[in-house]
């Protein structure tokens, strides 16, 4: 058949138009959600088992743990369908059948054992001495394809709770196009260090195929920038919206506001093994000089948050020591300092200790909007009791290094106090002698003995007085200075479906997460 040049051009044009329309249709039918989060991946292939990588991959739906936490902070079956305490040091885990890894292989008990074994292999991407110490495993015995027995070196009533920590993820070693092989509803595609984490839906997920085709988590540590990204349509959800901006939002047809109480505590970690805050009176004076009500009102703009009188928030009803208080008493602070001879000797408005002005170096980091104003307000409040303060913003890890080296005196931080639902994690990680994040030199044999005793008891009613006493010691010694517990606030674009803030803040993506048309 003869086709004229004009006809050929028309045919080519029609085909090009069809191809463009098809590409547009494919783009339009791909459901992709972009979420702005305060922190991004720490590497281009962040193994969930190492460092704190699991928090991001768990939220992104890539990795999963044997046991999960419900929205009431109770233990829930996850990759394990059942778990049983056989003895003070032994736990039987029965695996869910038919779970597929992202490479299509079926999860077995041997896979689980091998995944945990990598925690202790130096040089392996999963190496995690912190989690290894927390689990304190003696052995993992495979009974059959779906049954294992975990044995700890000593009794540990918090062991099953420890298996809910995102770092206790069950993973296979990656290869080629499968760099991270998990079991969650989303498959890891790529990560750009400190910038973005990209996933795609996993149709063979044991809990049902996700409704989204792709999920992207972009790191935007500046809350104001994240809010602008939402307004411009670059992101669909801001998981940690700036409190001041949240307070000003008007609920309308195109926006969504989410708020829920969490276990997150904002606190100072002072250097207690040297420097001015090794002095007990100075630490007590700092705490007494902080008006926590004002800090909460100003830093959180009246949006959620409660003054902290102890480590744990009121929503941890089984564990909070409700008898404790951390009062605001600037006059009492000044009387304590005067009585200890820490006075203003030269009339410059700053008290002296060991012959030098007490000027504390305080530091925090970006990523949570309330940190910076809390630091600034602290500086002003300390000035009122004759203590100087120099403030600065750094990076979380670098700040810890500076605290350990004595370059700063206090590090303002925000941690979930019970990401595993159990009260042992936070004190055992931050204030126990030699703990992985006890970098400020605190040591109290009585507290250490209580934590060991608490782990050896298995009934809640027997453990409650133990952890009540732990909180009492912390308030007395102030190896950390609690400030407030925070409510998380998030804002969506009006189309987000299936999103709910989890009290532990370690869950986000689920098969039900979706975007309305």
């Amino acid at each position: 058949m003869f086709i004229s040049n004009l006809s050929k051009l028309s045919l080519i044009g029609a085909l090009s138009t069809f191809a463009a329309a098809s590409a547009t249709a494919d783009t339009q039918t791909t459901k992709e959600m972009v979420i702005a989060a305060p922190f991004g991946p720490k590497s281009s292939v962040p193994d969930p088992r190492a460092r704190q990588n699991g928090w991001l991959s768990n939220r992104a739906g890539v990795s999963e743990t044997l046991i999960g936490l419900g929205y009431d902070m109770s233990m829930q079956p996850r990759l394990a369908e059942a778990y049983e305490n056989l003895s003070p040091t032994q736990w039987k885990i029965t695996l869910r059948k038919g779970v597929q890894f992202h490479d299509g292989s079926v999860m077995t008990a041997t896979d689980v054992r091998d995944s945990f074994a990598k925690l202790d292999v130096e040089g392996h991407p999963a190496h995690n001495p912190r989690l290894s110490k927390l689990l304190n495993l003696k052995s993992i015995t495979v009974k059959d394809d779906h049954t294992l027995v975990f044995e700890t070196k000593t009794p540990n009533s918090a062991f099953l709770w420890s298996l809910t920590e995102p770092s206790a993820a069950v993973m296979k070693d990656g290869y080629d196009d499968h760099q991270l092989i998990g079991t969650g509803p989303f498959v890891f595609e790529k990560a750009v260090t400190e910038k973005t984490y990209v996933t795609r839906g996993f149709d063979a997920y044991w809990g049902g195929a996700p409704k989204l085709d792709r999920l992207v988590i972009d790191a935007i540590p500046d809350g104001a920038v994240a809010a602008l990204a939402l307004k411009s349509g670059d992101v669909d959800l801001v998981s940690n919206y700036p409190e001041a901006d949240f307070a000003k939002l008007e609920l309308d047809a195109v926006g969504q506001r989410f708020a829920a109480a969490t276990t997150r505590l904002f606190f100072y970690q002072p250097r207690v093994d040297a420097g001015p805050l090794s002095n007990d009176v100075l630490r007590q004076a700092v705490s007494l000089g902080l008006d926590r009500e004002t800090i909460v009102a100003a830093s959180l703009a009246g949006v959620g948050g409660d003054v902290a009188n102890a480590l744990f928030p009121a929503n941890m009803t089984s564990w909070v020591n409700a008898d404790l208080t951390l009062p605001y008493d600037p006059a009492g602070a000044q009387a304590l300092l005067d009585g200890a001879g820490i006075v203003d000797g030269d009339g410059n408005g700053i008290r002296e200790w060991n012959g030098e002005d007490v000027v504390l170096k305080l530091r925090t980091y970006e990523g949570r909007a309330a940190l910076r104003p809390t630091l600034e307000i602290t500086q002003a409040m300390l000035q009122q009791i004759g203590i100087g303060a120099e403030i600065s913003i750094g990076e979380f890890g670098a700040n810890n290094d500076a605290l350990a080296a004595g370059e700063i005196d206090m590090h303002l931080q925000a941690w979930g106090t019970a990401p595993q639902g159990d009260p042992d994690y936070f004190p055992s990680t931050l204030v126990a002698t030699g703990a992985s994040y006890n970098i400020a030199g605190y040591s109290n044999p009585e507290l250490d003995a209580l934590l060991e005793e608490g782990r050896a008891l298995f009934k809640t009613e027997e453990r409650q007085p133990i952890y009540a006493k732990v909180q009492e010691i912390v308030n007395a010694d102030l190896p950390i200075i609690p400030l407030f517990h925070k409510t998380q606030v998030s804002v969506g674009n009006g189309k987000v479906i299936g999103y709910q803030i989890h009290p532990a803040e370690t869950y986000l993506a689920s098969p039900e997460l979706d975007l309305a048309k």
Side-chain angles (χ1 to χ4, degrees):
M1 179 187 300
F2 175 75
I3 302 177
S4 69
N5 288 336
L6 182 61
S7 298
K8 288 179 181 179
L9 289 173
S10 299
L11 180 60
I12 291 170
L15 289 173
S16 298
T17 302
F18 176 76
S22 298
T24 301
D26 287 343
T27 301
Q28 290 175 343
T29 57
T30 298
K31 281 193 175 182
E32 177 181 281
M33 180 182 290
V34 181
I35 298 175
F39 304 104
K42 299 302 180 185
S43 70
S44 59
V45 187
D47 192 299
R49 294 164 293 185
R51 301 179 64 181
Q52 307 293 339
N53 294 338
W55 268 252
L56 177 58
S57 63
N58 196 71
R59 286 167 60 81
V62 169
S63 59
E64 294 183 300
T65 51
L66 291 171
I67 305 171
L69 288 176
Y71 282 84
D72 61 355
M73 294 297 284
S74 64
M75 279 192 286
Q76 302 287 328
R78 206 173 183 193
L79 294 179
E81 66 178 13
Y83 29 89
E84 179 185 356
N85 182 213
L86 301 178
S87 75
T89 59
Q90 290 183 314
W91 286 262
K92 177 183 175 183
I93 303 293
T94 304
L95 300 179
R96 190 182 298 277
K97 296 178 181 177
V99 172
Q100 287 190 33
F101 283 106
H102 294 153
D103 65 351
S105 60
V106 176
M107 180 186 72
T108 67
T110 300
D111 293 322
V112 174
R113 180 197 62 192
D114 292 348
S115 180
F116 277 89
K118 302 295 170 48
L119 299 175
D120 294 318
V121 179
E122 290 191 27
H124 192 278
H127 184 228
N128 191 332
R130 176 193 61 82
L131 181 59
S132 180
K133 184 176 180 180
L134 194 67
L135 295 173
N136 197 28
L137 286 169
K138 179 180 179 181
S139 65
I140 302 175
T141 303
V142 173
K143 294 296 185 181
D144 57 44
D145 279 352
H146 299 99
T147 311
L148 309 95
V149 173
F150 287 75
E151 184 174 359
T152 55
K153 295 174 184 176
T154 57
N156 181 4
S157 56
F159 177 74
L160 289 180
W161 293 101
S162 298
L163 293 181
T164 71
E165 178 179 319
S167 297
V170 176
M171 304 288 294
K172 287 184 68 176
D173 282 350
Y175 59 88
D176 299 332
D177 294 333
H178 294 282
Q179 293 178 304
L180 293 178
I181 304 175
T183 61
F186 291 90
V187 179
F188 174 81
E189 282 195 349
K190 68 175 183 177
V192 179
T193 304
E194 299 292 1
K195 290 185 178 180
T196 191
Y197 192 95
V198 181
T199 73
R200 66 176 184 273
F202 183 45
D203 289 341
Y205 179 57
W206 62 265
K211 295 181 178 179
L212 291 174
D213 298 305
R214 288 169 61 84
L215 177 67
V216 179
I217 298 180
D218 282 340
I220 308 181
D222 188 322
V225 174
L228 288 173
L230 178 68
K231 187 175 182 180
S232 66
D234 293 329
V235 303
D236 301 295
L237 175 73
V238 178
S239 64
N240 294 75
Y241 204 81
E243 287 79 15
D245 294 337
F246 188 89
K248 299 172 186 175
L249 282 177
E250 293 182 4
L251 198 59
D252 56 40
V254 296
Q256 297 162 287
R257 297 194 294 181
F258 305 88
T262 70
T263 68
R264 186 164 298 278
L265 173 69
F266 281 59
F267 64 94
Y268 280 106
Q269 185 176 27
R271 184 180 179 223
V272 299
D273 61 348
L277 293 180
S278 64
N279 183 283
D280 294 343
V281 169
L282 269 167
R283 289 200 309 281
Q284 291 291 341
V286 167
S287 181
L288 288 169
L290 296 177
D291 183 353
R292 291 166 173 81
E293 292 281 1
T294 296
I295 291 173
V296 168
S299 298
L300 300 181
V303 179
D306 297 292
V307 165
N309 286 304
L311 295 183
F312 301 123
N315 60 0
M316 287 185 65
T317 54
S318 295
W319 304 111
V320 63
N321 186 338
D323 295 329
L324 297 177
T325 60
L326 288 167
Y328 172 53
D329 185 0
Q334 295 187 71
L336 271 179
L337 294 167
D338 291 343
I342 304 173
V343 297
D344 177 9
D346 57 10
N348 69 348
I350 304 296
R351 296 174 180 270
E352 298 172 3
W353 177 76
N354 279 2
E356 296 183 356
D357 285 352
V358 180
V359 180
L360 304 179
K361 293 180 174 63
L362 317 182
R363 194 178 293 177
T364 192
Y365 48 93
E366 299 286 4
R368 299 194 183 278
L371 287 169
R372 184 187 289 268
T374 297
L375 197 69
E376 294 168 348
I377 295 167
T378 296
Q379 181 183 39
M381 289 178 174
L382 292 181
Q383 183 67 46
Q384 299 302 310
I385 61 172
I387 295 177
E390 297 175 354
I391 62 175
S392 60
I393 305 294
E395 185 271 331
F396 177 82
N399 293 352
N400 280 336
D401 292 341
L403 186 65
E407 297 168 7
I408 62 174
D409 299 296
M410 289 204 297
H411 183 196
L412 174 61
Q413 306 172 51
W415 281 45
T417 55
Q420 305 163 353
D422 187 86
D424 186 73
Y425 170 82
F426 190 71
S428 287
T429 302
L430 268 163
V431 296
T433 301
S436 53
Y437 281 89
N438 181 0
I439 56 176
Y442 175 70
S443 181
N444 184 321
E446 181 187 4
L447 183 140
D448 294 339
L450 284 167
L451 291 174
E452 186 174 347
E453 183 181 356
R455 288 189 292 268
L457 296 173
F458 286 77
K459 294 182 179 179
T460 297
E461 59 271 22
E462 293 176 346
R463 301 179 73 208
Q464 284 172 328
I466 300 295
Y467 290 96
K469 182 64 176 177
V470 166
Q471 293 169 78
E472 183 181 324
I473 291 174
V474 169
N475 274 26
D477 291 356
L478 295 173
I480 68 168
I481 301 175
L483 299 177
F484 59 89
H485 295 105
K486 184 180 175 298
T487 294
Q488 182 181 331
V489 293
S490 306
V491 177
N493 61 2
K495 299 179 180 179
V496 176
I497 298 171
Y499 173 70
Q500 185 178 356
I501 296 171
H502 194 282
E505 301 178 78
T506 51
Y507 298 83
L508 191 158
S510 73
E512 300 306 313
L513 192 63
D514 199 3
L515 282 172
K517 295 180 179 179

